[in-house]
Amino acid sequence: MNDALLALHFIGLMMGAGGGFGSAIVARVANSKPPEQAATLRTLGPILARFAHIGLGILWVTGLIMIWSVYGGPEHLPELFWIKAIFIVSLTVAAIATELTYADIKKGNMKAAARLPKIGPIAGISALLAAVTAAFAFH
């Protein structure tokens, strides 16, 4: 059971990373294209973000279950886990901000798109630091 949870956890990690990197690459390419091509490319942003956020959801669910199934509760987790948790919360806040921004854009508030270049790096750095601290916490 724990092996299956860990496998799902890694799948969530891959989805989150794939969607996040994909969004960043599409945004960078869109910035270098003519307006009509850029507009088409930018339609991928919300799709890739949603894919990444589903992965983040999988990480949350499997991670919380494994706290108890593998470690017997939060009191048995290594200290470095709590630093990782800070980065996971920061990533989650950035994911929520991204979803809210895309909702604003969908409602016609195109000025909201200016938030995305600020949110993206916060999410990316948070995800990177969470992965690094996880590697050290659980090796």
Side-chain angles (χ1 to χ4, degrees), residues 9 55-65 85 88-89 92:
H9 200 68
L56 180 59
I58 292 169
L59 284 167
W60 268 103
V61 170
T62 56
L64 288 171
I65 293 170
I88 294 299
V89 170
T92 302

Side-chain angles (χ1 to χ4, degrees), residues 42-56:
R42 286 190 178 104
T43 63
L44 296 173
I47 296 165
L48 291 168
R50 180 66 46 92
F51 184 75
H53 299 159
I54 291 169
L56 180 59

Side-chain angles (χ1 to χ4, degrees), residues 54-139:
I54 291 169
L56 180 59
I58 292 169
L59 284 167
W60 268 103
V61 170
T62 56
L64 288 171
I65 293 170
M66 287 190 297
I67 287 173
W68 280 271
S69 71
V70 175
Y71 294 96
E75 64 274 8
H76 300 112
L77 290 167
E79 289 179 13
L80 202 50
F81 168 84
W82 300 106
I83 295 171
K84 173 190 176 268
I86 292 167
F87 298 129
I88 294 299
V89 170
S90 174
L91 173 59
T92 302
V93 169
I96 292 166
T98 300
E99 287 293 330
L100 293 173
T101 299
Y102 279 127
D104 283 350
I105 293 168
K106 191 174 182 178
K107 292 176 190 172
N109 180 6
M110 299 315 286
K111 290 182 181 180
R115 294 191 299 244
L116 292 172
K118 296 173 185 132
I119 299 169
I122 293 169
I125 291 168
S126 297
L128 175 67
L129 292 173
V132 169
T133 55
F136 285 102
F138 298 113
H139 72 286

